[in-house]
Amino acid sequence: MADTGAGRFAPSPSGRLHVGNLRTAVVAWLFARSTGRRFLLRVEDLDRVRAGAEADQLAELAALGITSDSAVLRQSDRTDLYSGALRTLIERDLAYECFCTRRDVAEAASAPHARPGFYPGTCRDLTAEDRARRRRERPPALRLRSAVDAWTVDDVLAGSVTAPVDDVVLRRNDGVIAYNLAVVVDDAAQGVDQVVRGDDLLTSAPRQAYLASLLGLPAPAYAHVPLAVTAEGRRLAKRDGDVTLEDLAVQGRTPGAVLALLLSSLGLPEGSLQAALGAFDPARLPRQPWVVDPSDLFSTPAGPACKPSASTDKVLP
């Protein structure tokens, strides 16, 4: 396949994927394929890793017909690349040591006139003596020295999005590279110029695009997809029960039937990914969250519309 850019799906291996995760993966695949891009899978395993989860997730995606056009990359194998980007920011005085605990940040962010959830710059201007003293008490994290208050990105589904940019963490105080830096470096290194993911990350896109600009990297095109939610409007999670491919398999639903359910929720033909691709139009995607009642996943008859395709007709073990 010609190198015409790439889309990707990049889960954290913290457990099995639920139907909301799988739906987003389907949309990401459709976006990439409909625009002539490669499609990549990446394992974001710098944090929240559960033994065996990576293999489970890749098997679940493959059962729906979603595989990577290149070798699956793991962030844990790429720390040298992240460290190089971090050195670039340090050399340009775009990073500084931060000694705040989570409690410190939460209390500062709750102060009057503070922006909720954003770091107020407590450690930004510490003296060399202050830093030396605090290092003896607590190892520092590294934060970005942002020069802007906000940044704007264009999103295929949400339009123009402007969100605040604060001094985000680049490296945690335990030495682990933070998500915002890792994802920017990875996307650029892999040629990912299209990022399709859940809209819970929409406000992170301006931060990441700004960070990319500081590193001289191109920002990708974004499309943030409405999440799967419970009847109460809460983001769907494994704790809501019976919402993974494995759960549905126990009830006799094949991966093909689950794929049909996901495609139906997107208003697309239910026969196969290829059939859905022929009808895919981002402008016609639902703009509201997908409300999931786990009992409905089992009670809806798997009739002709849920007939599995040839590549997705086996129940996972």
Side-chain angles (χ1 to χ4, degrees), residues 229-317:
V229 300
T230 65
E232 297 76 28
R234 186 180 66 251
R235 183 171 67 176
L236 189 69
K238 179 64 176 74
R239 64 176 176 270
D240 294 303
D242 297 336
V243 292
T244 70
L245 206 59
E246 181 185 38
D247 297 328
L248 295 168
V250 170
Q251 301 296 324
R253 282 197 175 269
T254 65
V258 176
L259 177 61
L261 173 72
L262 301 178
L263 294 174
S264 176
S265 77
L266 296 165
L268 293 168
E270 302 167 18
S272 68
L273 283 174
Q274 288 300 325
L277 181 59
F280 180 68
D281 179 358
R284 299 178 65 181
L285 285 173
R287 302 305 173 92
Q288 300 300 316
W290 179 36
V291 179
V292 176
D293 182 341
S295 62
D296 288 344
L297 300 180
F298 301 122
S299 62
T300 304
C306 292
K307 182 179 179 181
S309 63
S311 62
T312 56
D313 59 355
K314 294 181 180 180
V315 177
L316 287 179

Side-chain angles (χ1 to χ4, degrees), residues 98-100 134-141 172-174:
C98 174
F99 301 88
C100 294
R134 295 196 183 193
R135 283 191 210 107
R136 293 192 290 270
E137 302 169 357
R138 174 181 173 83
R172 302 183 333 199
N173 80 326
D174 60 2

Side-chain angles (χ1 to χ4, degrees), residues 80-158:
D80 287 348
L81 195 64
Y82 310 141
S83 296
L86 189 57
R87 282 194 300 273
T88 297
L89 296 173
I90 293 171
E91 290 166 0
R92 295 172 56 195
D93 194 29
L94 292 174
Y96 63 90
E97 292 178 325
C98 174
F99 301 88
C100 294
T101 64
R102 291 185 179 182
R103 181 177 179 178
D104 293 334
V105 174
E107 290 178 351
S110 65
H113 311 299
R115 293 183 297 179
F118 287 83
Y119 183 68
T122 307
C123 294
R124 182 183 256 252
D125 298 316
L126 293 178
T127 65
E129 291 76 12
D130 286 335
R131 293 195 300 272
R133 174 177 56 81
R134 295 196 183 193
R135 283 191 210 107
R136 293 192 290 270
E137 302 169 357
R138 174 181 173 83
L142 285 178
R143 286 186 178 272
L144 175 69
R145 189 182 297 276
S146 175
V148 300
D149 291 327
W151 199 257
T152 300
V153 298
D154 290 321
D155 187 276
V156 173
L157 301 179

Side-chain angles (χ1 to χ4, degrees), residues 156-244:
V156 173
L157 301 179
S160 179
V161 177
T162 300
V165 173
D166 64 342
D167 292 358
V168 297
V169 173
L170 301 171
R171 187 185 69 199
R172 302 183 333 199
N173 80 326
D174 60 2
V176 176
I177 296 294
Y179 166 77
N180 281 304
L181 178 60
V183 73
V184 166
V185 172
D186 281 334
D187 283 342
Q190 289 190 276
V192 171
D193 60 354
Q194 180 189 77
V195 169
V196 179
R197 58 191 182 186
D199 63 7
D200 56 325
L201 293 172
L202 180 58
T203 56
S204 295
R207 292 175 174 177
Q208 293 165 10
Y210 172 64
L211 183 53
S213 75
L214 294 179
L215 291 168
L217 303 175
Y222 291 102
H224 287 83
V225 182
L227 299 177
V229 300
T230 65
E232 297 76 28
R234 186 180 66 251
R235 183 171 67 176
L236 189 69
K238 179 64 176 74
R239 64 176 176 270
D240 294 303
D242 297 336
V243 292
T244 70

